[in-house]
Amino acid sequence: MRAMSEARAEWDFLTQADRGMDKESIKRSFADHIEYTQGKDRFSVTQLDFYLATAYAARERLLDRFNVTRRSDYQRDARRVYYLSLEFLIGRLLEDGLRNLGIHEETRRALADLGLDMDSVAAKEGDAGLGNGGLGRLAACFLDSMATLDIPAVGYGIRYEYGIFRQIIDPSGAQVEAPDTWLRHGNPWELERSEKAYRVQFHGHVRSRVDDAGRTSFEWVDTRDVIAVAHDVLVPGYRNERVNVLRLWAAQGSDAFDFEDFNRGDYVAAVQHKNATEDISRVLYPSDKVRQGRELRLKQEYFFVAATIRDAVVRHLKAHPSLHDFGEYSVFQLNDTHPAIAVAELMRVLLDEHRFDWDDAWRVTTSSLAYTNHTVLPEALEQWPVWLMEEVLPRHMQIIYEVNRRFLDQVRHRWPGDEDRVRRMSLIEEGGERRVRMANLAIVGSYSVNGVSALHTKILTDRIFRDFYELEPGKFNNKTNGVTPRRWLMGCNPGLSALVTSRIGDGWTHDLARLDQLAQHADDPELHASWQSAKRRNKERLAAIIARECNVTVDPTSIFDVQIKRIHEYKRQHLNILHVLSLYQRYKQHIPADTVPRTFIFGGKAAPGYDMAKRIIRLVHAVARVVNDDPAVNAVLKVVYIPNYNVSLAERIIPAAEVSEQISTAGMEASGTGNMKFAMNGALTIGTLDGANVEIREAVGPENFFLFGLTDLEVQALKKQYDPAGYYHRDPEIHAALDAVASGWLSPDEPGRFRPIVDSLLYGDPFMVLADFHAYRDCHERLMAAYRDREGWTRKSILNTARSGRFSSDRTIMDYAREVWRVGASPASPPKGT
Ligand code: 26V
């Protein structure tokens, strides 16, 4: 014992050795890593080594703070937030990490001393694309804000070997998917914790036993097991001492799994088996709307939930004798239904492993889970076939049945005789293939259910989850999304940020609401001039990227009109490109003298199996070719599609945008977060009253927002009698544009290629593209007129930035912390005494 405590004393001494934050110390670390981590000298060193050495230098400094954070959270026994998400779309980490550490500038200078340029060094980092779109990027912004607000939080997810696919556009304009090998050069940001490994069970069956006291206990046996190994990514707060962790699980085949093969002497088969189990963390599912129904996806969901709950339980039991107060120290925020199996898993752990009785287990479970819904599209609401659940998770299926039985009793008690309601609220969808409704499971098992914008939450309580709202109205709440201003303003738009700081100081960087002080300067001619030139420089930088990636020259004085997001019919990229085509047709007749040149910029990935979305990508390319190659119009009109849209490209595109296209069918986009990033960077929105657009418009002022289209209620009302053909016959521009697409003129090698798009618009279109076309066109006319008034436009742009402070994810996280999590700030500080 004595020897042990002496050794500890020495370790305490070692951990005091913090790395310096000055330029010379950074240079020293950098040189050490080139030499001793990378094993290079001045002759063999490469650009990649420069990046890695810089990243390692930053990582050491993160680790100093991480150790402080860990100790101070442990000592304080703080209530922790666990953010469970199958997706974290974090992008590059170097510059954000340096900025949050407060050594971005020092590091830039250190590199400059060595003849290196920060931009090129940072560009060597690959994007961590562990997500599809909005939901995954939101999780990444939340990590930044939780750390910045000093909330003891852990993100939990999967360490996919392959993230979202790399999009290649072939010569015909079609999307081709290539694997995203983001780990190929290693990942300096992760720490593999090979000792943090938990067994996760699958398949097998349930054995029940009645003990002497007459109590039945259940045992899940003969399972096939997989090991979950933790990989920690450090998440620093902005200018504080906190470094949180994003813990990603990788699947590792367990040796026990293959006993049968080994015993039969089939060594190679055993190793192959082991390999196959590692498929669980192989690849991110690249569809963000269409239900997969695949066994592997279900296994991913359970795999990360089981490992996460185990990890949290182990952590709790280190400091507490039992799990009865677990809910007071832990809250799990479920990012959509993907981790909803947590309801059954936490119940299983409490019932079967800790011998809780049902009521106690249910109390603990429902006091520690909270659920966020991110979509109302019925095809994206997860349901798992009962037969599949019984096969993969037999014990969980039993628990779900029991939860359902008790829950439906409650419903029947409240609404006697209303069997229709019972059917609607059941956790099991009957009729045809029986399926578990994961949203219902998540609602029943959580103490909080939230939507992600005011409109979305209203649609949830009025329509989608109305029955549940009527039963427990207090459970439901809104948390309007937000984005981190560190990445999405300071990081991506240094020109504009410096300008803002020059006028109002830098308080806005940690309290974005203070941006509103900028409104006082909205008419200052000097600010106008520098505002315009900041935008202009961003546009030039983007024009260079477009020249390189698309081989198209665009005019930086033209309006940059941007739609970047996943390709979906409900997001209506086809409305945008159809409008561009009709502009082309109009300009072929006549180009008015006061026409402002415009560049329409698209970017986004389509789910590999989503045929219509892929056709829309080809249509954009087909229109782009015609327009860009036509000297009669290409001085006033250009169209580009930037391939392989990802976080890093977004960081280049958004600061250069002047018009932000947010044109989803009203009622379909839960929130949108790109819309917020554009407004923050001074772009003006052309948009429908959908998702957070509603709140953005209120915040920036209706006069600084270009609104068009049906409202959510109008969409609902029109549904029953929507007659797209009427619009086609009545509106000659729609007629001409659709005829051009249908004629095969845009795809001579395959004249029918775009027919399915035209058909979808003319027959039954649930997205009501033609119903909004007219209003959209008129709105673009208004927008052009507004742009001609240079100072008027600049004023609107400044006001968009000034009034977008509400859309910081710091505000969102403060709302969650106060109203859902009930956690406060817990500043990380070096422990006293020890
Ligand atoms: C759903 C599914 C369905 C099963 C197959 C795999 C998969 C993967 C992801 C999803 C989630 C789709 C929901 C989603 O991304 N929603 C977006 O969430 C954003 C953040 O709240 C929000 O801003 C967007 O409006 C919303 O579409």
Side-chain angles (χ1 to χ4, degrees):
M1 285 316 283
R2 239 185 73 105
M4 186 69 171
S5 57
E6 270 167 25
R8 284 258 168 99
E10 201 162 321
W11 281 104
D12 278 346
F13 168 75
L14 285 177
T15 55
Q16 305 299 313
D18 281 9
R19 294 281 190 264
M21 299 295 207
D22 57 294
K23 187 180 75 171
E24 292 308 318
S25 309
I26 295 168
K27 268 158 77 176
R28 188 68 259 148
S29 301
F30 176 89
D32 282 351
H33 284 295
I34 293 283
E35 208 170 340
Y36 301 114
T37 307
Q38 295 307 107
K40 294 291 182 75
D41 63 15
R42 69 166 86 184
F43 304 108
S44 54
V45 73
T46 64
Q47 287 290 324
L48 181 66
D49 296 316
F50 294 146
Y51 155 65
L52 287 171
T54 313
Y56 283 121
R59 186 175 96 166
E60 292 175 340
R61 287 153 179 84
L62 292 174
L63 283 170
D64 284 331
R65 294 186 183 192
F66 166 68
N67 284 320
V68 170
T69 305
R70 183 163 45 186
R71 268 189 292 167
S72 97
D73 285 352
Y74 180 76
Q75 288 194 335
R76 227 169 272 160
D77 197 14
R79 178 170 158 85
R80 282 192 178 79
V81 175
Y82 299 117
Y83 197 83
L84 271 63
S85 179
L86 223 39
E87 306 191 5
F88 287 92
L89 193 46
I90 51 190
R92 291 182 179 144
L93 294 179
L94 177 61
E95 287 192 276
D96 270 48
L98 293 171
R99 187 170 320 102
N100 283 9
L101 280 170
I103 57 169
H104 190 275
E105 189 50 30
E106 284 296 289
T107 308
R108 200 186 57 70
R109 286 205 223 121
L111 291 172
D113 277 4
L114 302 165
L116 301 171
D117 158 62
M118 174 73 93
D119 285 353
S120 3
V121 168
K124 291 312 280 185
E125 179 170 4
D127 262 45
L130 308 183
N132 273 286
L135 166 141
R137 183 53 234 176
L138 184 75
C141 284
F142 280 5
L143 292 178
D144 183 72
S145 287
M146 290 188 294
T148 296
L149 294 170
D150 256 316
I151 295 174
V154 186
Y156 278 105
I158 293 182
R159 178 185 182 269
Y160 300 108
E161 190 177 329
Y162 299 95
I164 188 69
F165 62 85
R166 188 160 53 85
Q167 179 191 55
I168 298 168
I169 303 294
D170 79 6
S172 76
Q175 166 178 300
V176 178
E177 300 87 23
D180 160 45
T181 52
W182 72 292
L183 291 168
R184 125 188 116 254
H185 302 299
N187 176 6
W189 303 114
E190 72 181 8
L191 298 150
E192 179 173 348
R193 309 290 195 191
S194 56
E195 79 288 359
K196 280 251 175 281
Y198 301 112
R199 186 175 73 108
V200 178
Q201 299 172 273
F202 291 99
H203 301 286
H205 55 267
V206 181
R207 207 186 279 149
S208 64
R209 223 199 318 259
V210 182
D211 67 15
D212 299 341
R215 276 183 43 146
T216 310
S217 64
F218 298 87
E219 212 186 342
W220 184 15
V221 295
D222 295 337
T223 51
R224 286 192 250 156
D225 301 345
V226 181
I227 307 296
V229 181
H231 291 69
D232 289 347
V233 180
L234 304 176
V235 182
Y238 175 64
R239 294 199 183 159
N240 63 13
E241 293 287 312
R242 178 167 290 277
V243 173
N244 283 337
V245 160
L246 166 60
R247 177 159 283 182
L248 300 175
W249 300 106
Q252 202 175 74
S254 91
D255 298 335
F257 178 103
D258 308 299
F259 260 165
E260 272 178 45
D261 287 322
F262 275 114
N263 289 343
R264 258 188 278 116
D266 197 346
Y267 166 73
V268 169
V271 173
Q272 280 178 342
H273 252 142
K274 187 168 147 76
N275 238 312
T277 63
E278 291 167 5
D279 282 345
I280 288 180
S281 56
R282 195 80 66 202
V283 58
L284 166 78
Y285 273 87
S287 156
D288 64 345
K289 283 293 168 320
V290 179
R291 237 178 260 150
Q292 294 297 310
R294 295 272 166 76
E295 177 171 327
L296 187 61
R297 169 81 183 185
L298 177 63
K299 285 186 168 170
Q300 288 184 337
E301 294 183 353
Y302 179 63
F303 167 77
F304 105 99
V305 163
T308 298
I309 288 181
R310 173 60 43 90
D311 204 35
V313 162
V314 166
R315 189 174 293 126
H316 184 88
L317 291 177
K318 265 191 202 155
H320 305 265
S322 93
L323 291 174
H324 282 92
D325 57 354
F326 185 64
E328 284 150 48
Y329 293 89
S330 337
V331 50
F332 297 90
Q333 189 69 41
L334 310 179
N335 201 20
D336 217 295
T337 57
H338 314 154
I341 194 66
V343 177
E345 173 64 3
L346 189 47
M347 285 299 284
R348 185 191 70 78
V349 169
L350 295 167
L351 293 168
D352 299 355
E353 296 182 3
H354 296 268
R355 303 275 171 241
F356 275 48
D357 63 32
W358 184 278
D359 289 336
D360 283 344
W362 188 244
R363 188 179 43 74
V364 171
T365 298
T366 53
S367 63
S368 45
L369 298 180
Y371 156 57
T372 305
N373 172 280
H374 293 270
T375 178
V376 299
L377 298 188
E379 65 272 27
L381 291 179
E382 283 192 299
Q383 301 187 345
W384 290 106
V386 166
W387 66 263
L388 182 63
M389 290 276 265
E390 280 172 341
E391 194 174 298
V392 178
L393 303 170
R395 178 62 182 135
H396 297 78
M397 197 59 236
Q398 286 183 341
I399 291 171
I400 290 169
Y401 276 132
E402 182 59 15
V403 170
N404 199 33
R405 191 186 67 74
R406 289 167 184 253
F407 173 65
L408 294 182
D409 276 353
Q410 204 187 320
V411 174
R412 288 195 176 95
H413 182 77
R414 167 83 194 267
W415 288 283
D418 194 347
E419 282 305 303
D420 217 43
R421 188 186 291 261
V422 169
R423 233 185 328 275
R424 291 195 306 265
M425 296 180 82
S426 174
L427 305 190
I428 313 287
E429 159 113 39
E430 312 274 351
E433 186 183 52
R434 301 177 71 232
R435 288 179 305 214
V436 181
R437 296 163 166 158
M438 300 308 272
N440 295 20
L441 176 64
I443 295 170
V444 171
S446 299
Y447 71 86
S448 163
V449 177
N450 76 279
V452 290
S453 72
L455 176 66
H456 169 59
T457 300
K458 178 145 174 51
I459 291 172
L460 291 183
T461 54
D462 284 359
R463 283 213 300 270
I464 316 292
F465 298 147
R466 184 187 187 131
D467 293 318
F468 293 92
Y469 179 65
E470 285 172 2
L471 182 67
E472 297 179 285
K475 237 187 210 187
F476 289 80
N477 61 93
N478 175 247
K479 293 289 166 286
T480 298
N481 284 165
V483 303
T484 171
R486 269 72 65 186
R487 184 176 294 257
W488 296 111
L489 187 50
M490 303 165 70
C492 70
N493 204 342
L496 205 70
S497 299
L499 204 48
V500 172
T501 298
S502 76
R503 297 296 158 136
I504 65 170
D506 72 354
W508 61 273
T509 62
H510 60 86
D511 178 8
L512 205 66
R514 295 195 203 166
L515 275 182
D516 69 359
Q517 296 165 12
L518 199 59
Q520 297 158 18
H521 307 272
D523 293 308
D524 172 353
E526 247 174 68
L527 180 63
H528 277 218
S530 14
W531 197 265
Q532 286 161 8
S533 59
K535 183 64 82 180
R536 174 62 189 266
R537 277 193 298 276
N538 294 338
K539 289 169 76 179
E540 280 163 4
R541 196 174 58 166
L542 180 59
I545 293 174
I546 290 171
R548 195 176 68 221
E549 300 295 321
C550 313
N551 221 346
V552 177
T553 312
V554 300
D555 172 7
T557 67
S558 65
I559 303 182
F560 278 18
D561 180 311
V562 182
Q563 188 173 22
I564 44 174
K565 48 183 80 235
R566 287 299 287 253
I567 312 299
H568 272 293
E569 287 164 283
Y570 87 82
K571 295 178 188 281
R572 301 200 295 192
Q573 281 91 356
H574 46 353
L575 171 58
N576 186 344
I577 196 64
L578 212 60
H579 172 248
V580 172
L581 178 58
S582 92
L583 275 179
Y584 171 77
Q585 292 176 318
R586 204 194 308 164
Y587 290 158
K588 283 296 269 186
Q589 303 297 314
H590 171 66
I591 302 178
D594 61 355
T595 302
V596 188
R598 278 182 282 187
T599 302
F600 289 90
I601 298 167
F602 291 81
K605 293 172 182 176
Y610 189 172
D611 179 79
M612 194 62 79
K614 290 180 134 179
R615 271 182 220 270
I616 292 171
I617 293 177
R618 295 187 83 164
L619 180 61
V620 175
H621 280 94
V623 172
R625 182 159 310 160
V626 168
V627 170
N628 299 343
D629 288 352
D630 190 336
V633 299
N634 67 15
V636 290
L637 194 59
K638 284 266 170 82
V639 182
V640 294
Y641 198 106
I642 303 179
N644 198 36
Y645 175 59
N646 59 13
V647 172
S648 294
L649 276 169
E651 289 168 18
R652 292 288 184 234
I653 298 169
I654 290 167
E658 289 163 301
V659 178
S660 157
E661 298 269 353
Q662 307 299 337
I663 60 178
S664 52
T665 315
M668 297 200 178
E669 189 70 272
S671 163
T673 44
N675 48 2
M676 302 168 181
K677 298 166 194 165
F678 281 105
M680 225 173 250
N681 283 276
L684 272 56
T685 307
I686 177 166
T688 50
L689 277 181
D690 199 13
N693 294 355
V694 177
E695 291 155 82
I696 293 174
R697 179 167 173 268
E698 274 165 20
V700 305
E703 69 285 6
N704 304 312
F705 184 108
F706 293 90
L707 176 70
F708 76 96
L710 299 172
T711 64
D712 160 51
L713 292 179
E714 287 165 349
V715 168
Q716 294 307 317
L718 187 60
K719 250 188 199 164
K720 287 145 227 158
Q721 31 170 36
Y722 180 48
D723 170 33
Y727 297 95
Y728 171 76
H729 291 299
R730 282 194 303 272
D731 186 323
E733 285 198 8
I734 293 183
H735 200 121
L738 281 183
D739 282 0
V741 177
S743 70
W745 164 67
L746 289 163
S747 53
D749 54 321
E750 187 197 340
R753 180 174 299 151
F754 300 124
R755 187 76 230 186
I757 297 180
V758 175
D759 288 345
S760 80
L761 298 180
L762 286 177
Y763 307 103
D765 177 24
F767 310 104
M768 303 197 177
V769 169
L770 300 189
D772 276 346
F773 186 89
H774 189 109
Y776 181 58
R777 176 187 51 208
D778 289 352
C779 194
H780 264 295
E781 293 294 315
R782 279 188 274 133
L783 189 151
M784 287 262 282
Y787 195 85
R788 279 185 215 110
D789 168 11
R790 200 79 206 285
E791 300 315 313
W793 182 275
T794 303
R795 181 171 194 282
K796 290 177 192 297
S797 170
I798 294 169
L799 289 175
N800 264 264
T801 301
R803 296 173 177 167
S804 61
R806 241 206 105 225
F807 303 103
S808 164
S809 47
D810 293 348
R811 188 270 310 148
T812 312
I813 289 300
M814 285 194 285
D815 290 350
Y816 275 99
R818 266 200 291 266
E819 297 160 23
V820 181
W821 303 334
R822 297 188 280 268
V823 293
S826 187
S829 52
K832 292 177 208 96
T834 43

